[in-house]
Structure formats: structure tokens, C-alpha cells
Amino acid sequence: MPPQKTTNIHATAALPKVAWAKGSYLYDANGKQYIDGSGGPAVYCLGHANPEVNAAIVSQLDRIAHGYRYNFTTDALEELTDIIRTRCGGTLREMVYVTGGSEAVESCLKMALQYQTAIGQKSRRRFVSRQRSWHGNTLGALGVSGFAERTAAFEGAFIPSIKVSPANAYRPIAGATAETAGAAAAAELEATILREGAETIAAFIFEPVVGAAGGCVPAPDGYAKAVRDICTRHGILMIADEVMCGAGRTGTWRALERDGVEPDIMSVAKGLAAGYQPLGAAICTTAVHDVIHAAHGAFQTGHTFTGHTAACAAGVAVQKIIQREDLLSRVTANEARIKGWLAQALHGLPQIGDIRGRGHFIALELVADPETKTPYPAHLQLFAKIRLQGMLNGLICYPVGGNVDGINGDIVILAPPYNATDAELTEIVDKTAQSVRQVLQAENLC
Ligand SMILES: Cc1ncc(COP(=O)(O)O)c(C=O)c1O
């Protein structure tokens, strides 16, 4: 059955049935081919059915699927831990494994609270986070998320958090320009901390390159360093949520590496095992770990499947391939090429307000008026129509709505596999441009 018209992401009844996939292509039960322009939700960074990753998982399953963490350590877990320590560099050396992004964020929040308790700062129970952010669907992660459409039904039941403005060079906060967007957002953060009382705040959590809630919005120049200084000055831990933008997606293994900043705590998930197994991690510095260890003996978090052996084996295989094939150099080099190709393919469409992002994490933003940057009204559901049109054209991309104010705004995220060929990348770009043009034409908007 071809993809049916639906704008609700939770409505799955009309979806085509995927049958198999290889590399950058997926095939549905009718044999229709789709190119994976977004690695699903920025996950499948090595494409599909990689024989080396599959063999590593099978080989692990043949020995033991899961060595429970309170009984055993395993080769796969130890090897992955070494790899992550090397890739992170610096002092980000201690971690708790989990099965996905929300659990990773949840664990980061708990690490921050446990640390503050351990140093005798138990009054620090609140978090500061940003509007236009997405940190996950568990209650803790949802509560710090600035995504009204997804949080509204649960308001009132969250752990306390304070929301500050996002840092976005294309949409700076009032009074700021693209050049001063980072400094203005950082100043707002510090003013908020002073107003609310630093002694009540455990940590500040943010996405170094905002994913679904903003559309690949990189930290403006100087922002991350300013935030680092503010957090240090006020005894607030800095948590980088790298679930979507980390594990090499933006060209460096840690997204914040490019900003020259080491957070105290960070989350990573999607690309860590590239979707071959569910895997994530909450990682912290030795300084944070040592304080917790001295006071409490261990992180007081973790789950039955923490350090799941087959998942760790998948992570090891994925990370070895990325390193051996030097894929992050390719991802870095492709950033300007993908943006250039997109600009060319969408040439003459003033509705494309911005093309931004880093590495293989690039988004375009649609605007009704390029001068005022006014978004199209939400009821048009342009993003959802582009998703559907893309599927009809044999393209998987990642359009999201609401990036401007939680309701209005249309973005299309591209997050191709790190090893996508040039021909595949240009096919993704061409099909994206074609899908956007078709939807704008069908809506009489161009
Ligand atoms: C930045 C960020 N954090 C956390 C999450 C939650 O991850 P998961 O859906 O794996 O629970 C996501 C998911 O998209 C994300 O983009």
C-alpha cells in the first residue's frame, strides 16, 4: 500500500510496511525503494544491514546476549568504554549505559542531583533548560524539554525546571542580531540564574546543536564557552544533550568539541550503535564521578539492561568502522557540500529562509516571508505534507513543525548515513528539493 495522507505522527495505521534495507536504501513490502535521507530520526549513521555490525552482534549472541551488570562485566562493555573514553577525550571518562536517549538524559539529570547532594548542596534541585528543545519522553526528560506540543498534556507533574530562550543566530532573542545572538542568550541565562537563585539550581541542560525542536540549530559562536563559564561561576553543572547531535553526527565525535567546550555531563544515544541495537550512555567527568563515588560509592542509577552485552557489541563494531574508515573527516567535509547542493536545488524559492547545521545534520527552514521570517500558519501542516510527499518520492527525511514558537514553523532535517556516497547524497538533496517544491506548488504558495 502506498503511504496514505496523515499528518499525525502517532497515527501509524496508514504507514507502508518496511521489508528490508541495505546501505542507504530501504524497501517496503511492495518493493518500493526509499533513500534514507535522515537515517530515520538521525540514528542509522552506517546505513542498514551492515554485515560487519550484524556479524558482531550474532557472534556476541552466540556466546551470551546479556551479562547482567551486578553479576558480570564483559569484553564488549569494557571495549566500548575504552572507545568512548578515547573519542570523548579530556576527562569525560565515566559512564552509565542505557537503552536510548530518554534514559540517557534521565541518567544525566540524576547524576547532577546526586553530585549536588554529595557536595552538600541539596538545595540545588531544579534545572534550567531552554525553550525549543527536546530531551525525551520520560517524565524527567520531558519536563526539561521546551516543546509545548509534547509537554502540554503533562504540565504540573514535572520536576521543577526554568526555561530560558534558545540561542539561534537565525532567530535571535529580541534586541540581538545574528552576531550577538549567542552573547544575548548567555546573558539571559545568567540573569535567570541570579533571579531564581543559583543555590536552587543543579544543572543547565541544552542541545549543542538543537535537533527536532529547532532544526539543526548550532550554538552561535561563543555561546557554549560563555555558558561553560556561567555554569562554573555559579556551581551549576553543564549537561550537553548529545543524543541526536553526538557520536559523530556533526563531524566531531562530541558535538561540543567544535565549540572547544567540555561539559560536566553528557548524553549520547542514537548514533552510538547506529540503530543496530538500542543503546545510549550518560557520561560524566572524573571530577563529577569521584565526588559521587566518595560520597555514595556508585552512581545511583541504571536499569536491568544497563550495559546489555549484545548492544555494547553493536556499539563497538559501529564505532570501529567509523574510526577505520575515517568517516568523521568525510562528515565534516560534506557539511559545506550538502548545504551548497541544497541551496542550488532550492534556488529561486524565497520560502527557504535558512539552511543550517553541521556535518551530516543539516536542516532547511520554510518561511512565509523571508524579510520578517514569519512562519506559515501551523494549520497548513507543511512539514507533515513534505514528509508524505517525500515518501511518495521514495525519500525518507525528517520534517518537524513548531520550531518558531512551539506551534508554528516548518523545518526539514536531513541526517544521511556517514558513509552515504556522493551519488546518494545528491539523490537525497534532489528528492528533498523536489518534495518541498511539490508541496509549495500544491498549496499555491509558489
Ligand atoms: C536531543 C535528544 N535528546 C533525547 C532524545 C530522546 O531519545 P529517545 O527517543 O531515544 O528516548 C531525543 C530524541 O529524539 C533527542 O533528539
Side-chain angles (χ1 to χ4, degrees), residues 100-103 105 134-136 207 241 243-244 270 398:
S102 301
E103 269 188 13
V105 168
W134 178 242
H135 298 294
E207 295 165 80
D241 181 357
V243 164
M244 201 169 191
K270 294 176 187 266
Y398 192 95

Side-chain angles (χ1 to χ4, degrees), residues 157-170:
F158 296 133
I159 49 171
S161 75
I162 305 146
K163 303 287 188 308
V164 295
S165 300
N168 181 341
Y170 182 64

Side-chain angles (χ1 to χ4, degrees), residues 248-285:
R249 172 59 60 199
T250 60
T252 47
W253 202 82
R254 288 193 303 109
L256 264 191
E257 209 176 308
R258 181 135 148 208
D259 304 275
V261 167
E262 181 177 82
D264 300 295
I265 303 175
M266 70 178 259
S267 55
V268 65
K270 294 176 187 266
L272 186 58
Y276 285 83
Q277 291 282 293
L279 183 66
I283 306 167
C284 73
T285 60

Side-chain angles (χ1 to χ4, degrees), residues 42-62:
V43 170
Y44 316 123
C45 60
L46 285 184
H48 301 272
N50 183 292
E52 188 176 330
V53 181
N54 285 351
I57 297 167
V58 170
S59 154
Q60 183 60 59
L61 291 176
D62 283 344

Side-chain angles (χ1 to χ4, degrees), residues 15-35:
L15 297 179
K17 187 178 286 183
V18 71
W20 62 284
K22 184 73 192 160
S24 298
Y25 292 94
L26 297 92
Y27 300 84
D28 72 17
N30 293 326
K32 181 177 166 71
Q33 186 190 64
Y34 306 80
I35 190 158

